[in-house]
Amino acid sequence: ADFNYGADEYDAEGNEEPKALPEGSETMPYIDESPTMSPQLSARGQESGDGVSPTPTDGLGTGGERDAGKGLEMRKLVLSGFLASEEIYINQLEALLLPMKPLKATATTSQPVLTLQQIETIFYKIQDIYEIHKEFYDSLCPKVQQWDSNVTMGHLFQKLASQLGVYKAFVDNYKIALETAEKCSQSNYQFQKISEELKVKGPKDSKESHTSVTMEALLYKPIDRVTRSTLVLHDLLKHTPADHPDYPLLQDALRISQNFLSSINEDIDPRRTAVTTPKGETRQLVKDGFLVELSEGSRKLRHVFLFTDVLLCAKLKKTAVGKHQQYDCKWYVPLADLVFPSPEESEHCPQVHVIPDHELEDMKMKISAIKSEVQKEKANKGQSRAIERLKKKMFENEFWLLLNSPAIPFRIHNRNGKSYLFLLSSDYERSEWREAIQKLQKKDLQAFVLSSVELQVLTGSCFKLRTVHNIPVTSNKDDDESPGLYGFLHVIVHSAKGFKQSANLYCTLEVDSFGYFVSKAKTRVFRDTTEPQWNEEFEIELEGSQSLRILCYEKCYDKTKVNKDNNEIVDKIMGKGQIQLDPQAVQTKNWHMDVIEMNGIKVEFSMKFTSRDMSLKRTPSKKQTGVFGVKISVVTKRERSKVPYIVRQCIEEVEKRGIEEVGIYRISGVATDIQALKAVFDANNKDILVMLSDMDINAIAGTLKLYFRELPEPLLTDRLYPAFMEGIALSDPAAKENCMMHLLRSLPDPNLITFLFLLEHLKRVAEKEPINKMSLHNLATVFGPTLLRPSEVESKAHLTLASDIWSHDVMAQVQVLLYYLQHPPISFTELKRNTLYFSTDV
C-alpha cells in the first residue's frame, strides 16, 4: 500500500518565474520590473512551522535600526507596486464582466448570442473573484496612501489567501471555459467580435484610457494572479521584521498560497520540456533514496534524487486516491555549487536533538508486539480488515522510528549561501552519497538556475525514474520476503591488510535493524600500522537483520577538525564492504571465518549466530549507596519510608505541572537532564527540590521511568513473573480477579505499596486524557515492560520462535498493568485483610 509519509504541508519556495502567457496578453509592469523580485528560484526559505521566512538579501532587513527602517521602507515599495498591479487586475476582471450582462439579457430572447449554460461556463466565478479583490483593494489602498511604518495589513492578505477556494473552482473550470469560448467564437460572429476586443481601463494616473485585450488572455489573468500574489507575499515577508504583528499573518497567507499553488501547478501548465542539462545532455538519475532532513528543528522524511548535475530534495505530495502521484521539490542544488562543509565550518549549525535510546527501544518493542499480533491473526485466519489495521499501526510506529533514529549529520552547502542538514543512521550510507556526488563533480559542470517549468518537469520525472519505491520499513516488505535474523551475532574482527602507509586504524560494524542500517560496534584504534591486529569480539543484537557492513577508518587526532557535535564523524573512511547474512550458513554453532575486500584492503573476521534467548535479566547491583540500581527494600529501609523519595517527588512534580502535558511519560525528556536528575537523587543533594521545580517536566517523567527500569529486579519481581503471565491469560473473570489480587498480596510490602502509589497516579494522569492524550492503554504500554520482565531462567525455560516469545511477553506485560489500571481502587489494608481466603502458594 502507498502510505503518504511526512505529513508536513507543502513549503517549497514561491519564487517561481512568471508563467508564459497566452498570446495577446500583456505582462504586468510590476512583476517584471520590480526590484524586490528575485529572478531565480531561491534554493529555499526557512520552514518555520510551515510558513517561509526568507533570509534578507542585499543587506536589507539586517544591521540594526537603519536597516530595519529600510526594510519597512521596502515594504512600502513592495505594497505600492502590488497595489498598482492589483488595480490593473481589477480593471481586467471588470472588462471581462462587462459583456456578461448584455449576453445574459439576450440569452432569454428568441435570438440569443449564447445560452445561459455557455455564459455560466465561460464567466464561471469571475464575479466572485472580482468582488474579493475589489474589497481587498479598497481596504489596502488607504493604508498604503497614508503610510505609517506601524501600519498592519497582514490580516487583509490572510483573508485574501483564505478565499483561494474560489480560484480552485476557477482553475478546475478553466479548460472548459476556454474551449467553450472558442467554440462559441467559431459558431457565432457576434460573440467572436466581442471576445476579440475587450476594452480594459487604464490605471488612474496613466495616459492611456483603454487597451484592447482578447477574452482568452483575460481568462488567463486569475491563474497568473495567484502566482504573482505569492511572490509579493514572499517579498513582503522578506522586508517585514520578525517581531512585527504582520509577520505571522503573512507567513500563514504565504503557506496557504503555496499549498494552493502546488496543488494546481500541474493542472495549469500541461507543457513539458525535455529533461536536459544546460549543455543539452540528457539529465540522468544516478541515485535516489529516502533521507531524514532536519528542517527548522523538526525531522522530515525526504526522497532525495541525485541527477547528473543536480541534487534535488523532494517529498511525495498528498494526492487523492487514484490520482497520479507527484513529487514536490523542496529545494535543489546544482552540483557545480554544492560543497560539503567541513565540521569546523559547520559549528554554527543547529544542534541535533537526539531521541534517548530507551524511547527508541520502547518503540521497537511496540512494533514487535504488533508483528506478533499480525502473525497470530494470520494463523487464526483473522479478518483482513483487522490485519490491515494492525499493519497500518505498525507502519506508523516504524515510520516514527525511521524518522527519529538517525543522528549522523550529513551536511550539504550551496555556495550561494544556503545549507541543508540530513541525518543518517549509517555512515556507510553517508559515504555512498558523498562519493556519488564527488564522482559526478569531477566532470566539467556548469552552474544554472532552473525556471519554474524546468523544475516542474524535472520533479515530474522523479516519479517515473525513482529506483527506491518504498520507505525502508519492514511493513512495506512482501510476506514472502525473508524476515531476517532475530538473535545475537557474535563477530570477531581479526585484522586487516593492504594499507599503503601507516595510520591509526579502527573498524565499525553496521547491521540493518527495522529496515534501516545502524552502527552497532567499534574496535579500538590500532596506532601507526599498515597491518592492524584487533582480534576483538562483539555481540550484536539482530532485529530482522539481513546484512552486515564493515567500515574501516583512519582516526583523526587533529583538534581543529573534531567538532563539538558528538555525532559528527570526522574520521576518514579507508574502505567499506558488506555481506549478506544467510540464515542457513550463519546458524551453526561453530565460528565461520570470512574476508571482506574493500578498495584493495582486506578485513578478516569470524562470526557465529545464536537465536535470541531473550535474556532481559537486569544486572544485579553491587552498590548500596544512592537509589538507582539499588533494591527497593534497601532504599525504603534506609529512608524509613514506605515509598522511595524519588518516586514520591517525581510523581508530585508531574501532578503539580505535568498532568496536562501532551504525551506525558511517552515523550522523552532530554537525556542530559535525566542524567543530571539521576545524579542529584543518587547523591541525595539538598538542591533536589529546587532542581525539580526548574526542570522540564518530560525529564522528570523520564527520571521516574529510568528509576523503575534500573531496579536490579523489576518492581513486580522475577519470582512472580510466570504467575502474572498465567493469571492474565485466564479467561474466567472471577478466577482472574482472585489470581491477580493474590499476586499483588504476594509482593513484598515496599514493592506493593510503591506499585499501588504509582497505579493511583497513572489513573489520575489518564483522567486528563482529552488534554494530555495519554489513555490507560498508552500508560500501560509505557510502564508495563518496565515493571514486569522475565528472569533469565524464565526466558530460557520456554524458548520457541525468538521474536514471537519476545513480543508476546511485551503484550502480556502491557495487559497485566492495564488490568490493574482498569480495576476499581485497590487498598493495601483491604488486600492484606483478605489473605485468609487464598493459599499462599504461588
Side-chain angles (χ1 to χ4, degrees), residues 149-360:
S149 61
N150 296 322
V151 72
T152 60
M153 42 70 209
H155 58 288
L156 298 177
F157 281 90
Q158 198 181 29
K159 185 177 179 187
L160 188 66
S162 71
Q163 294 168 312
L164 281 170
V166 176
Y167 276 87
K168 177 75 179 119
F170 175 85
V171 168
D172 290 345
N173 181 70
Y174 173 68
K175 250 192 185 141
I176 300 170
L178 272 189
E179 285 165 16
T180 309
E182 206 170 336
K183 274 182 197 158
C184 294
S185 281
Q186 287 164 1
S187 60
N188 188 304
Y189 179 69
Q190 250 179 309
F191 182 69
Q192 189 187 351
K193 291 295 289 174
I194 295 169
S195 62
E196 274 177 0
E197 273 201 336
L198 290 169
K199 295 274 184 280
V200 178
K201 249 190 330 198
K204 287 187 196 111
D205 50 2
S206 139
K207 294 191 181 96
E208 285 181 332
S209 59
H210 285 85
T211 48
S212 293
V213 188
T214 66
M215 184 175 282
E216 185 190 352
L218 287 181
L219 281 172
Y220 188 80
K221 294 299 174 192
I223 285 176
D224 204 33
R225 193 71 199 155
V226 187
T227 310
R228 291 165 185 223
S229 306
T230 309
L231 297 178
V232 167
L233 279 168
H234 205 280
D235 289 334
L236 265 180
L237 257 178
K238 200 181 289 181
H239 302 297
T240 301
D243 56 358
H244 193 286
D246 273 348
Y247 195 86
L249 301 174
L250 291 171
Q251 235 177 359
D252 193 46
L254 181 60
R255 178 183 60 81
I256 296 168
S257 305
Q258 287 179 329
N259 285 340
F260 175 76
L261 259 186
S262 76
S263 72
I264 65 164
N265 260 350
E266 61 218 81
D267 308 338
I268 293 172
D269 204 330
R271 285 165 300 174
R272 292 280 178 260
T273 60
V275 184
T276 52
T277 66
K279 287 183 170 178
E281 298 159 4
T282 310
R283 200 171 258 138
Q284 309 257 316
L285 179 66
V286 178
K287 178 177 173 61
D288 70 301
F290 289 97
L291 296 180
V292 172
E293 185 186 10
L294 192 70
S295 169
E296 272 300 293
S298 66
R299 293 164 178 256
K300 314 278 169 114
L301 190 67
R302 306 295 193 211
H303 199 148
V304 182
F305 295 86
L306 175 61
F307 289 93
T308 325
D309 63 341
V310 64
L311 184 76
L312 185 140
C313 176
K315 67 164 263 203
L316 203 54
K317 268 204 259 195
K318 286 186 199 159
T319 48
V321 181
K323 212 178 165 212
H324 180 56
Q325 283 191 301
Q326 282 288 332
Y327 281 98
D328 263 339
C329 172
K330 309 306 288 182
W331 50 264
Y332 70 88
V333 180
L335 298 190
D337 294 329
L338 188 152
V339 284
F340 299 111
S342 62
E344 62 272 21
E345 289 171 326
S346 55
E347 274 191 11
H348 59 280
C349 281
Q351 279 295 304
V352 179
H353 171 60
V354 180
I355 302 284
D357 285 346
H358 68 77
E359 270 227 7
L360 300 173

Side-chain angles (χ1 to χ4, degrees), residues 6-19:
D8 56 310
E9 294 301 317
Y10 176 80
D11 54 4
E13 259 28 65
N15 279 15
E16 296 199 21
E17 294 193 352
K19 298 257 189 293

Side-chain angles (χ1 to χ4, degrees), residues 384-396:
S384 58
R385 195 178 295 166
I387 293 173
E388 276 312 306
R389 204 167 42 241
L390 285 168
K391 281 191 165 175
K392 186 169 188 283
K393 186 79 194 140
M394 182 158 95
F395 175 85
E396 286 163 7

Side-chain angles (χ1 to χ4, degrees), residues 572-617:
K572 184 181 171 197
I573 296 179
M574 304 297 284
K576 61 186 195 312
Q578 84 173 26
I579 56 158
Q580 291 304 108
L581 295 173
D582 175 12
Q584 270 64 46
V586 179
Q587 283 177 335
T588 57
K589 290 198 170 67
N590 307 322
W591 286 95
H592 162 73
M593 190 146 174
D594 213 332
V595 174
I596 283 187
E597 291 202 36
M598 38 175 114
N599 296 359
I601 299 162
K602 289 183 181 179
V603 176
E604 280 192 6
F605 65 99
S606 301
M607 59 183 179
K608 69 174 178 180
F609 172 76
T610 49
S611 60
R612 189 197 290 281
D613 69 359
M614 261 334 290
S615 164
L616 283 167
K617 181 69 178 157

Side-chain angles (χ1 to χ4, degrees), residues 1-158:
D2 268 315
F3 291 91
N4 277 329
Y5 54 84
D8 56 310
E9 294 301 317
Y10 176 80
D11 54 4
E13 259 28 65
N15 279 15
E16 296 199 21
E17 294 193 352
K19 298 257 189 293
L21 298 172
E23 246 178 293
S25 64
E26 82 292 1
T27 51
M28 292 188 195
Y30 161 68
I31 285 300
D32 294 334
E33 267 86 52
S34 163
T36 64
M37 280 297 309
S38 23
Q40 68 185 66
L41 184 126
S42 79
R44 174 142 203 216
Q46 297 157 331
E47 279 177 45
S48 113
D50 269 322
V52 178
S53 52
T55 39
T57 50
D58 310 328
L60 288 163
T62 54
E65 290 298 318
R66 181 178 52 83
D67 279 334
K70 213 173 184 184
L72 291 167
E73 197 51 39
M74 283 301 296
R75 259 177 109 225
K76 186 187 174 187
L77 288 173
V78 173
L79 282 169
S80 310
F82 184 55
L83 209 55
S85 72
E86 189 70 5
E87 187 193 342
I88 293 171
Y89 180 49
I90 288 167
N91 291 345
Q92 289 165 339
L93 292 172
E94 240 172 2
L96 202 49
L97 288 170
L98 204 61
M100 191 172 82
K101 283 181 187 139
L103 283 170
K104 268 190 177 169
T106 65
T108 50
T109 64
S110 56
Q111 287 188 311
V113 178
L114 301 180
T115 66
L116 277 173
Q117 179 63 53
Q118 288 168 329
I119 296 167
E120 182 59 35
T121 304
I122 295 170
F123 299 95
Y124 186 64
K125 294 293 179 193
I126 301 288
Q127 184 70 44
D128 295 358
I129 291 173
Y130 171 78
E131 282 164 14
I132 288 169
H133 282 269
K134 186 82 176 79
E135 185 192 345
F136 172 77
Y137 179 83
D138 291 346
S139 309
L140 185 63
C141 197
K143 286 179 181 283
V144 177
Q145 283 169 349
Q146 290 132 38
W147 180 255
D148 165 5
S149 61
N150 296 322
V151 72
T152 60
M153 42 70 209
H155 58 288
L156 298 177
F157 281 90
Q158 198 181 29

Side-chain angles (χ1 to χ4, degrees), residues 424-437:
L424 280 68
S425 56
S426 151
D427 198 28
Y428 192 101
E429 236 150 274
R430 182 170 76 156
S431 83
E432 280 186 325
W433 277 100
R434 194 178 277 155
E435 284 163 16
I437 291 168

Side-chain angles (χ1 to χ4, degrees), residues 404-422:
N404 289 292
S405 305
I408 299 171
F410 176 41
R411 295 189 167 88
I412 299 286
H413 182 68
N414 186 335
R415 266 183 241 277
N416 301 326
K418 196 83 180 78
S419 286
Y420 306 98
L421 171 58
F422 290 112

